[in-house]
Amino acid sequence: SGFLVFPLKRDRPNDITCRHGINHSFNINLKRAASKEVESELTTDFYRKNVRKSFEFAKRRTDDNINTRRKMIVQSMAGLTAEAAWRQAVSTAAVAASPSVLPEGKIETLESGRAAIIPNFASPSECEILRQDLKACFASNQFTNFVYSKNIANQKAMRTANGKDLDIWQMPSFVKATGADGPFANPDLGNFAARQSLKARMAEVKAHLGKNLYDRPSMLADQANTHEIEYLRYGAGASLQRHTDEHHIELLYPGGSARPKKPNASRRSITWLIYLNEPDWDAEKDGGQLRLYERERPSQNPVGARGPDLQIGWLKTLPQEQPIFLDPNYAGENGFDQQQSCMLFTMDPNTNERRNLSSQPFPNAALYVAGGDAIARKFMVDSPSDASRFHLIDAPKSMLTAKLSNSDGGEHFRDVAPRMGTLVMFDSVSMPHEVLSTNRERVGVQGWFHEKLV
C-alpha cells in the first residue's frame, strides 16, 4: 500500500516512518480517551490522514517522474536542427517508460474511428504561456495565410465558402515544399522554451500511439519532415469547410500510385490539436466549434490503413461499421495492368482475413473521374448487398464530383467546443471535419503525427 497503519496500542512508539521516507507521526494520549468510541474515532482519523499523505506522495512522485522524463526529452533536442530535434525527441520518448501519457481507452477510441477528446490536457498556466507566445509571434508578422489547397479552383471555392478574405493564419514548424525550418522552430523567436516543452510532451504522445495503435509502427521511424506542428489563429468570422487531412493518392491523381515516391515520403496518420483560447470561451456565443463527422456506429476493425493501403470508405454493418481500403496494385486474372489495378477490400472482423469487394480490379482513373457513392457502388463493388452499404469517406477531389452528394445516412456530427487546454485527436484519413464560424479570435496549436509511406 506504500504506508504503514498500526492498531492503536499503548506501547507503540509515537514516530513511524514508512519505506518512502514519510514520517507518519502521531501523538495520542490514550489516557484522555474516555471510551472505545473515542479510540475508534482517533484510529479512523489517523488512517485518513495517512491515506491522504500516501496519495499526495504518490502524486508528487508521478509528477516528478513526468517532469524528469520531459526534461530528458527537451535536453535530447538541445543543439539540434528542428528536424533532427523532433526525431530525437520521439526516439527518446519511445525508450522512456510512459504508460500514463493518455487516459485509459483512448487507443481503442481512435482505432474505432472516433475522436479522442481529453479536457484539461494542458494546464491553464501552460495555455496562458503558449497563448501569449502565439499572440506575440502573430503581432511580429511570423504567421502566414492558411492555404488549404494548391489547386487554384479549390482555393477559389474555399474562399467563396469561407469569405473573400480567409482570416486563418498559421506559424509552422517547417515548410513542406522545401523542408526548411519554419518560425515555430526558431530558437530566437518568442518563448522557444515553452514550444520545446510542448514538443516534448507531444513526442511522448506520438511514441505512445506508435507503440499501441494497430499496425502503425512506422510512427516511430527515424524519418525526415515529420515534425508537422504549428500555431493556428482564426480571426472573427473565419471558418473552414469540411475536409479530411489525408487521402489515398488515387483520389488525388489518376493512377497516382504509379508516381515515383519522394525520398523519406510520409503521410499524415493522426491529427491532433490543443485549444489555447481564453478561459471564458462560450461556445454558444463565440462559436468556433470543431465539427466532427463520425459514423453512427464504431468500427469493427482499426481504421486508417492496412499497410500501404489507405482507407477510402465504409461498409455499413450492424452492429458496427467496417472500414474499406483501396489496394492500387492488384493483379487481375490476366496479370498486372498498371492502368487497371485498383481493388476495394475489407477485413473480416473475426478472422482478420482480407475480403475483396469485386472479382476483378477496376481502372485506376475511375475513382478520380467518377467519384460519388452511386458510381462506386455500380462499378467497383460486385455484391448488391455490399454495394447498398458502401460509402466513400469523402468524394474524390475532381471538378466532376464537386456537386455530387456524398451522404449515406450513416453519419452524424459531433461539435467540440474549443475550450482552453482540450486535446483532440483523430485518424487523419477517416475523419471528415470542419470548423464552424468563430465570432472572436480563436487560437490553438495543431499538428500531425506521420507514418512512413511505403
Side-chain angles (χ1 to χ4, degrees), residues 114-304:
R114 301 294 173 87
I117 301 172
I118 306 173
N120 304 312
F121 177 81
S123 69
S125 60
E126 289 174 314
C127 291
E128 175 66 22
I129 292 171
L130 290 168
R131 182 168 61 250
Q132 293 305 318
D133 181 51
L134 181 154
K135 290 189 174 183
C137 291
F138 183 75
S140 60
N141 298 317
Q142 301 300 326
F143 282 58
T144 55
N145 198 216
F146 175 79
V147 177
Y148 173 66
S149 174
K150 294 180 181 179
N151 183 286
I152 300 300
N154 287 343
Q155 286 185 28
K156 289 181 178 179
M158 184 179 179
R159 291 184 182 277
T160 299
N162 297 289
K164 182 178 179 181
D165 295 320
L166 191 62
D167 193 9
I168 304 177
W169 301 84
Q170 60 190 21
M171 190 178 101
S173 55
F174 80 107
V175 181
K176 292 182 69 175
T178 63
D181 288 350
F184 192 94
N186 186 345
D188 299 321
L189 180 65
N191 195 335
F192 181 67
R195 298 196 298 273
Q196 287 291 85
S197 180
L198 174 67
K199 287 176 71 173
R201 189 170 188 187
M202 298 316 297
E204 286 186 283
V205 175
K206 182 179 182 181
H208 182 74
L209 295 180
K211 286 181 176 181
N212 293 283
L213 284 174
Y214 180 81
D215 196 25
R216 304 198 194 204
S218 68
M219 285 181 69
L220 301 177
D222 183 14
Q223 190 163 339
N225 295 336
T226 63
H227 62 297
E228 202 173 358
I229 177 173
E230 62 189 20
Y231 278 147
L232 189 64
R233 177 195 177 276
Y234 282 65
S239 62
L240 187 61
Q241 65 183 5
R242 172 175 168 148
H243 65 284
T244 48
D245 288 343
E246 188 61 87
H247 303 86
H248 199 298
I249 195 169
E250 292 292 340
L251 302 183
L252 299 174
Y253 311 100
S257 300
R259 293 187 170 197
K261 292 183 178 65
K262 296 179 180 179
N264 294 312
S266 66
R267 71 168 183 88
R268 292 172 173 177
S269 179
I270 295 292
T271 300
W272 64 267
L273 57 94
I274 301 173
Y275 295 115
L276 303 176
N277 293 310
E278 301 285 351
D280 64 344
W281 192 278
D282 183 341
E284 289 192 9
K285 179 180 69 175
D286 300 323
Q289 297 94 331
L290 173 68
R291 176 161 290 182
L292 302 167
Y293 290 93
E294 297 178 320
R295 304 299 292 172
E296 288 190 351
R297 300 180 181 88
S299 175
Q300 289 180 313
N301 296 319
V303 303

Side-chain angles (χ1 to χ4, degrees), residues 48-63:
R48 287 173 177 168
K49 288 180 179 178
N50 278 275
V51 169
R52 184 169 61 251
K53 287 182 179 179
S54 182
F55 276 121
E56 289 173 353
F57 174 81
K59 184 178 186 304
R60 287 197 304 272
R61 185 173 59 177
T62 300
D63 291 344

Side-chain angles (χ1 to χ4, degrees), residues 367-413:
L367 269 174
Y368 180 83
V369 175
D373 286 354
I375 297 177
R377 291 168 180 170
K378 185 174 182 179
F379 295 103
M380 302 169 196
V381 182
D382 286 354
S383 165
S385 174
D386 286 342
S388 65
R389 296 180 289 130
F390 177 75
H391 171 64
L392 289 167
I393 293 172
D394 264 334
K397 307 301 179 184
S398 73
M399 294 302 294
L400 296 179
T401 62
K403 296 183 179 180
L404 289 179
S405 173
N406 210 50
S407 174
D408 69 337
E411 189 177 78
H412 75 281
F413 65 81

Side-chain angles (χ1 to χ4, degrees), residues 83-100:
E83 173 60 44
W86 174 246
R87 291 155 67 182
Q88 183 60 48
V90 174
S91 176
T92 303
V95 174
S98 53
S100 59

